[in-house]
Amino acid sequence: MKKYVCDVCDWVYDPEVGDPENGIAPGTAFEDLPDEFVCPLCGVGKDQFSPVEE
C-alpha cells in the first residue's frame, strides 16, 4: 500500500499505521479512507494528497 503526503502541510498518511486517533485503523489503504477524511494537521480533504514516490 502506498503512502500519501498532504500537499499543503507535508503530513504523510501511512496505511500501515492508519490514523487511530481519528478512527482510521492500521491497514486502511488511502483509497479506502472515507470521502470526508481530512488531514489531521491542516484539515484539507483527500483531493489535496499525492502519492509518495519511493
Side-chain angles (χ1 to χ4, degrees), residues 15-54:
E16 291 183 17
V17 176
D19 186 13
E21 292 179 9
N22 293 299
I24 307 298
T28 303
F30 185 82
E31 295 80 5
D32 296 332
L33 293 173
D35 290 338
E36 59 273 2
F37 174 82
V38 295
C39 177
L41 290 186
C42 71
V44 297
K46 285 175 66 176
D47 61 333
Q48 297 290 311
F49 280 75
S50 298
V52 172
E53 299 301 326
E54 296 188 28

